[in-house]
Amino acid sequence: MVDEQQKAERHQARQQRLKEKVDARIAAAQEERGLLIVITGDGKGKSTSGFGTVCRAVGHGLKPAVAQFIKGTWACGERSLLAGAGVPFAVMATGFTWETQDKAKDTEAALTVWQTAKGWLTDPTIDLVLLDELTYMLAYGYLDLDEVLEAIVARPPHQHVVVTGRGCHRALLELADTVSEVKKIKHAFDAGIKAQQGIDW
C-alpha cells in the first residue's frame, strides 16, 4: 500500500512537471500588443464577460470605452457603475430590433453609435473598446463588415477590442486573437422565469 509520503511525493513530482510546462509557455509568450477578443455563442454571459473585462481594465488604471448595440432602452447596471468611473458610453438606445421593427431607424441608430466607436478605434488614449452586441449589426446588415474589419485592424497597436454577440461573422472569428463560445445548457427564461434586474441586466 502506498503510504501518504509517497502520495505526496508523486503529487509534487506531477505538479513540478506541470510547472515546467507552464513556465516554458510563459517564457515563449513575449509579444505584447492589443488583442481582439470575441465572445460569442447562444449562452448567457457574453456581455457580462465583456463588461467584466472593462471592469478589470478600470481596476488596473486603463481607459476603456463602451459601444452598446441593441440593448439601449433598459436600465443597465454596468453602465450605471462604469459611467461613474469615467468610462464613456455610446448607446444605440432603440431597444431590441424585434420590438422596433424599423430597419431604417435601427440602421441610423447603429451608424451613430458606430461613428463614435470608430473614433475610439483611432484614439491612442483609449486602451480597450467593448463593442457589445456588434455581431447582430453585421448579421442584419446595419453596419458594413469591411468597414468594421478595417477599423479594428487599423486601431492603435496597444488597443484591445472585445466583441460580443451571437452568430459572429467568420471574418471576425478569423481575425480574432481569442475566441470564446458561451454554450447554453439551460436558461431560466426557457422555464418561464423572467429576466431580473441586477442579474440579467
Side-chain angles (χ1 to χ4, degrees):
M1 178 178 264
V2 178
D3 63 24
E4 292 304 314
Q5 182 178 352
Q6 287 176 312
K7 286 182 180 179
E9 289 172 354
R10 290 179 182 175
H11 173 77
Q12 183 178 8
R14 283 194 303 270
Q15 293 305 307
Q16 179 59 36
R17 290 193 296 272
L18 176 61
K19 180 182 184 310
E20 289 169 1
K21 290 179 182 178
V22 171
D23 287 347
R25 292 188 69 190
I26 291 171
Q30 294 300 310
E31 184 180 1
E32 189 170 339
R33 61 172 174 78
L35 300 176
L36 172 58
I37 301 170
V38 171
I39 307 163
T40 191
D42 63 359
K44 171 180 166 50
K46 297 178 291 294
S47 293
T48 304
S49 178
F51 276 112
T53 304
V54 172
C55 288
R56 177 178 289 164
V58 170
H60 284 289
L62 301 180
K63 184 177 178 183
V66 177
Q68 279 187 291
F69 299 96
I70 295 185
K71 298 175 183 172
T73 59
W74 290 16
C76 176
E78 297 96 335
R79 190 164 66 239
S80 299
L81 176 70
L82 292 167
V87 176
F89 276 74
V91 183
M92 196 163 154
T94 55
F96 295 107
T97 55
W98 56 87
E99 291 175 347
T100 62
Q101 300 177 18
D102 186 337
K103 184 168 185 179
K105 181 180 177 183
D106 289 338
T107 301
E108 182 181 356
L111 286 169
T112 298
V113 172
W114 171 242
Q115 289 307 311
T116 300
K118 196 159 68 164
W120 291 333
L121 291 167
T122 66
D123 185 346
T125 71
I126 301 291
D127 299 301
L128 166 67
V129 179
L130 171 59
L131 302 172
D132 187 40
E133 313 284 15
L134 174 73
T135 61
Y136 297 98
M137 302 300 99
L138 300 175
Y140 299 157
Y142 296 168
L143 299 179
D144 180 75
L145 174 64
D146 290 336
E147 181 179 344
V148 170
L149 293 173
E150 288 170 10
I152 291 173
V153 168
R155 72 190 190 277
H158 75 283
Q159 190 182 78
H160 306 285
V161 175
V162 178
V163 172
T164 68
R166 296 183 184 209
C168 186
H169 193 283
R170 182 176 65 254
L172 258 179
L173 294 176
E174 291 173 355
L175 183 63
D177 299 289
T178 298
V179 178
S180 293
E181 182 177 10
V182 182
K183 181 178 179 181
K184 183 175 80 168
I185 305 300
K186 294 173 70 175
H187 198 298
F189 184 69
D190 295 335
I193 302 172
K194 71 178 186 178
Q196 299 177 64
Q197 185 173 354
I199 301 299
D200 294 297
W201 82 88

